């Protein structure tokens, strides 16, 4: 830290209690200066020789206080109070005074108030402080920050003296310097570097500033140029991590809300300037602090531009107090909508579907997690969220299956109709063999879904190269569902599945599996010739029609035996 010593005489100011200050001298004092609660017993000559304001005040009291041994004046509004006045008084006496970054603003504003100019005496205090500011303080990185912080207590005096403006210019200029030319002290605790100065060397030191000063610094840095949007975005992230509080320790919600809204207004417009993670953290804070709708819309739009960079934990956003659910699912739907909007804009210039595939996987994982931890998640909300990414490309539907299975596990009280609606989100043809193996033993799934899975597994196992690709199975799936209904009708009329034990359900599924397999193969006799009354399964197994009672002799024998 830079400092400057003024004067050469010993400091002879002394105290009597806390409210009296005087100069130890053989000469009797002849003026009393009241500053706040403190009385200064001083001598006129040193003060009048350097302060034009004191000259006028003392002259005005001469005729009024002729009966008093000492003239008495008051300075109720001097910047810096008793401490700043004492620095000016010691300078008038020629006593040693040490100025540094912490007291120089108070001394400068007090000297301005007392009119300690060159016109009163050459080498006066205002001039000397200006020399110190320009030659030392404003050339120091950390001192400039300290001085800028202290200016908040001295408005409008510090503004009139342009101290804050000069500090802002100094800080912005240094932040824009090529890191290779940085040779001053700075703080950098986040990670150690062995090769030179990092480009974001300055961001941590600025977290010491209050939000109003920080806002002015960032705007000046952006106006100055020379700093990339990515570094400015990182600076905002570091400041937010240090300053934003949304937990029970937050005592001033209004202040925190204002701070958050200011940070959001400072975000650079470039897409890659701020990470998706910090945007979502800001969004979570905006929900917790109940910021305005405009703030949340702006953040949602920014997140939608890069939703593919998020992870499942990012999307677990707690709902505001008073909501029916613990987590805010609506806001996740908004993020998906924004992503779709932004993707459509990018598609106009040839954007690939890779980001959609990533988001589809992300939402599948989110639904599995939210189904597990959100007891009040309704089937309709689960379905609505899943349908927003239903058209997105996926390599498989394993993620959809996991989400459905988790919802059924954690919400066993839903109706059969709701269960069927949820399971329609899944395309059984796109399950991996591992997922199919798990699903056919999953007692939480409706029986018709298990039949579909078994059917498509059988089709996949026996498919020939001449068969249509899996992408053309739209009609096959519908037909299969009709088959499932006809095959399971007898089972559902003779027993209520919700009341059967686990072993009975497994047995029922075994019966269904046996029946669907029989249905697939009864169209061939032992000589390999298809029966004319059977469906044309040799061309497209997925298009088989419902079995009629008179379809084949083997079918009749199996039904009579059952």
């Amino acid at each position: 830290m830079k400092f400057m010593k003024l004067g050469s005489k010993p400091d002879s100011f002394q105290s009597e209690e806390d409210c009296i200050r005087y100069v130890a001298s053989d000469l009797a004092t002849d003026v009393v200066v009241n500053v706040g609660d403190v009385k200064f017993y001083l001598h006129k000559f040193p003060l009048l020789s350097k302060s034009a304001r004191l000259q006028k005040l003392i002259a005005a009291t001469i005729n009024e206080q002729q009966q008093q041994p000492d003239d008495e004046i008051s300075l109720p509004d001097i910047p810096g109070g008793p401490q700043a006045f004492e620095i000016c008084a010691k300078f008038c006496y020629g006593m040693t005074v040490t100025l540094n970054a912490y007291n120089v603003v108070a001394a400068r504003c007090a000297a301005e108030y007392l009119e300690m100019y060159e016109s009163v005496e050459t080498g006066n205090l205002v001039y000397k402080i200006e020399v110190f500011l320009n030659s030392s303080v404003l050339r120091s990185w950390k001192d400039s920050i300290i001085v800028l912080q202290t200016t908040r207590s001295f408005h409008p005096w510090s503004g009139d003296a342009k101290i804050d403006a000069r500090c802002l210019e100094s800080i912005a200029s240094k932040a824009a310097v090529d890191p290779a030319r940085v040779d001053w002290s700075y703080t950098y605790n986040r990670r150690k570097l062995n090769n030179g100065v990092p480009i974001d060397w300055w961001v941590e030191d600025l977290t010491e500033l209050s939000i109003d000063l920080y806002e002015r610094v960032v705007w000046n840095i952006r106006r100055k140029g020379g700093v990339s949007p990515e570094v400015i975005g990182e600076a905002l992230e570091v400041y937010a991590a240090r300053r934003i509080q949304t937990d029970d320790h937050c005592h001033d919600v209004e202040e925190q809300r204002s701070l958050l809204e200011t940070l959001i207004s400072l975000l650079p417009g470039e897409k890659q300037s701020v990470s998706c993670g910090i945007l979502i953290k800001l969004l979570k804070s905006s929900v917790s602090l109940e910021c305005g709708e405009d703030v949340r819309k702006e953040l949602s739009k920014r997140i939608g531009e890069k939703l593919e960079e998020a992870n499942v934990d990012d999307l677990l956003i707690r709902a505001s107090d008073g909501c029916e659910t613990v987590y805010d699912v609506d806001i996740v739907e908004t993020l998906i909508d924004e992503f779709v909007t932004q993707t459509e804009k990018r598609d106009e210039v040839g954007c690939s579907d890779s980001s959609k595939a990533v988001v589809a996987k992300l939402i599948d994982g989110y639904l599995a997690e939210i189904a597990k931890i959100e007891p009040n998640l309704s089937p309709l909300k689960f379905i609505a969220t899943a349908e927003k990414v239903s058209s997105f490309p996926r390599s498989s539907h394993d993620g959809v299956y996991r989400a459905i299975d988790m919802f059924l596990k954690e919400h066993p009280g839903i109706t059969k109709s709701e269960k069927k609606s949820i399971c329609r989100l899944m395309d059984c043809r796109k399950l991996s063999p591992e997922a199919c193996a798990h699903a056919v033993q999953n007692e939480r799934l409706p029986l018709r879904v298990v039949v579909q899975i078994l059917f498509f597994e059988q089709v996949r196992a026996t498919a020939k190269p001449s068969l249509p690709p899996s992408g053309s199975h739209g009609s096959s799936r519908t037909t299969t569902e009709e088959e499932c209904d006809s095959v399971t009708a007898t089972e559902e009329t003779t027993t209520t599945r919700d009341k059967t034990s686990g072993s009975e359900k497994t047995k029922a599924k075994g019966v269904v599996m046996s029946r669907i397999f029989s249905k697939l193969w009864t169209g061939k006799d032992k000589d390999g010739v298809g029966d004319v009354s059977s469906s044309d399964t040799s061309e497209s197994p997925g298009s088989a029609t419902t079995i009629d009672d008179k379809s084949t002799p083997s079918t009749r024998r199996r039904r009579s035996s059952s």
Side-chain angles (χ1 to χ4, degrees), residues 157-452:
W157 295 94
S158 60
D160 293 340
K162 295 183 171 49
I163 300 175
D164 47 359
R166 285 182 284 170
C167 287
L168 291 170
E169 177 67 19
S170 171
I171 293 170
S173 298
K174 288 178 173 60
V177 166
D178 183 347
R181 296 172 52 199
V182 173
D183 57 0
W184 47 79
S185 174
Y186 61 88
T187 303
Y188 198 86
N189 292 327
R190 281 162 291 145
R191 56 182 181 272
K192 294 186 179 297
L193 294 178
N194 297 322
N195 300 321
V197 177
I199 60 175
D200 57 348
W201 60 267
W202 51 270
V203 303
E204 192 165 310
D205 287 322
L206 296 188
T207 61
E208 301 299 326
L209 295 173
S210 59
I211 186 60
D212 56 327
L213 294 176
Y214 186 80
E215 179 182 17
R216 296 175 67 188
V217 168
V218 172
W219 280 122
N220 273 270
I221 291 175
R222 294 176 65 172
R223 177 185 56 80
K224 196 81 174 175
V227 178
S228 69
E230 289 77 11
V231 175
I232 292 177
E234 182 181 350
L236 295 172
E237 181 175 354
V238 173
Y239 190 89
R242 179 76 64 88
R243 291 281 183 163
I244 293 180
Q245 300 175 353
T246 57
D247 53 20
D248 296 336
H249 300 292
C250 178
H251 300 295
D252 194 336
V253 174
E254 187 63 36
E255 179 182 340
Q256 287 289 300
R257 186 183 298 122
S258 175
L259 185 153
L260 178 61
E261 291 173 351
T262 300
L263 287 179
I264 293 170
S265 71
L266 293 173
L267 293 174
E270 292 79 0
K271 178 183 176 182
Q272 298 303 324
S273 61
V274 186
S275 68
C276 186
I278 182 58
L279 289 172
I280 292 179
K281 287 179 182 178
L282 293 175
L283 180 60
K284 289 181 177 180
S285 298
S286 71
V287 173
S288 176
L289 295 170
E290 299 180 350
C291 292
E293 191 65 26
D294 291 342
V295 171
R296 294 174 60 171
K297 283 183 178 179
E298 175 63 22
L299 288 172
S300 297
K301 179 180 177 181
R302 296 291 299 268
I303 296 169
E305 292 178 336
K306 51 195 344 179
L307 186 58
E308 64 270 23
E309 298 178 12
N311 57 52
V312 171
D313 287 340
D314 289 337
L315 300 185
L316 299 177
I317 302 173
R318 284 194 167 269
S320 303
D321 294 338
C323 293
E324 294 183 359
T325 57
V326 178
Y327 293 89
D328 195 333
V329 183
D330 291 336
I331 204 167
V332 175
E333 292 186 16
T334 301
L335 297 181
I336 300 173
D337 292 338
E338 289 291 348
F339 170 79
V340 172
T341 301
Q342 298 299 326
T343 302
E344 289 174 351
K345 292 179 180 179
R346 296 200 296 268
D347 282 343
E348 295 175 2
V349 292
C351 179
S352 68
D353 284 340
S354 59
S355 59
K356 288 185 177 180
V358 174
V359 170
K361 183 177 180 180
L362 169 67
I363 299 304
D364 291 346
Y366 167 76
L367 287 171
E369 184 65 21
I370 202 69
K372 179 170 65 175
I373 64 177
E374 178 54 75
N376 298 324
L377 182 63
S378 68
L380 288 177
K381 181 58 66 176
F382 180 90
I383 293 170
T385 306
E387 285 181 340
K388 287 186 176 293
V389 295
S390 60
S391 63
F392 288 13
R394 289 179 171 87
S395 58
S396 78
H397 269 225
D398 287 11
V400 182
Y401 168 66
R402 281 192 292 270
I404 291 172
D405 183 44
M406 184 59 66
F407 187 87
L408 297 180
K409 177 182 178 181
E410 299 298 330
H411 301 79
I414 64 175
T415 65
K416 288 183 179 180
S417 175
E418 291 171 335
K419 220 180 244 193
K420 289 180 180 180
S421 297
I422 290 174
C423 289
R424 288 193 187 100
L425 296 168
M426 175 177 60
D427 189 342
C428 299
R429 296 165 298 182
K430 296 183 179 180
L431 295 179
S432 67
E434 294 78 13
C436 288
H438 184 278
V440 295
Q441 302 179 55
N442 190 343
E443 298 179 357
R444 290 184 286 272
L445 293 178
L447 190 57
R448 63 185 293 170
V449 175
V450 176
V451 173
Q452 289 181 55

Side-chain angles (χ1 to χ4, degrees), residues 72-92:
E72 187 166 350
I73 59 176
S74 295
L75 305 175
D77 53 351
I78 182 172
Q83 293 79 15
F85 175 76
E86 185 169 327
I87 291 174
C88 296
K90 287 179 179 179
F91 175 80
C92 293

Side-chain angles (χ1 to χ4, degrees), residues 88-216:
C88 296
K90 287 179 179 179
F91 175 80
C92 293
Y93 279 90
M95 298 176 187
T96 301
V97 176
T98 301
L99 296 179
N100 55 46
Y102 289 101
N103 64 11
V104 68
V105 176
R108 173 66 178 82
C109 294
E112 183 77 22
Y113 176 89
L114 295 173
E115 301 175 19
M116 301 175 73
Y117 303 133
E118 292 296 285
S119 58
V120 181
E121 182 176 88
T122 303
N124 214 335
L125 186 55
V126 169
Y127 169 77
K128 289 186 178 295
I129 291 178
E130 283 296 315
V131 171
F132 177 54
L133 284 170
N134 295 326
S135 64
S136 297
V137 172
L138 296 178
R139 293 188 178 185
S140 167
W141 166 253
K142 289 192 173 181
D143 284 358
S144 296
I145 296 174
I146 293 171
V147 169
L148 181 60
Q149 285 178 291
T150 61
T151 60
R152 296 185 72 227
S153 303
F154 297 99
H155 286 301
W157 295 94
S158 60
D160 293 340
K162 295 183 171 49
I163 300 175
D164 47 359
R166 285 182 284 170
C167 287
L168 291 170
E169 177 67 19
S170 171
I171 293 170
S173 298
K174 288 178 173 60
V177 166
D178 183 347
R181 296 172 52 199
V182 173
D183 57 0
W184 47 79
S185 174
Y186 61 88
T187 303
Y188 198 86
N189 292 327
R190 281 162 291 145
R191 56 182 181 272
K192 294 186 179 297
L193 294 178
N194 297 322
N195 300 321
V197 177
I199 60 175
D200 57 348
W201 60 267
W202 51 270
V203 303
E204 192 165 310
D205 287 322
L206 296 188
T207 61
E208 301 299 326
L209 295 173
S210 59
I211 186 60
D212 56 327
L213 294 176
Y214 186 80
E215 179 182 17
R216 296 175 67 188

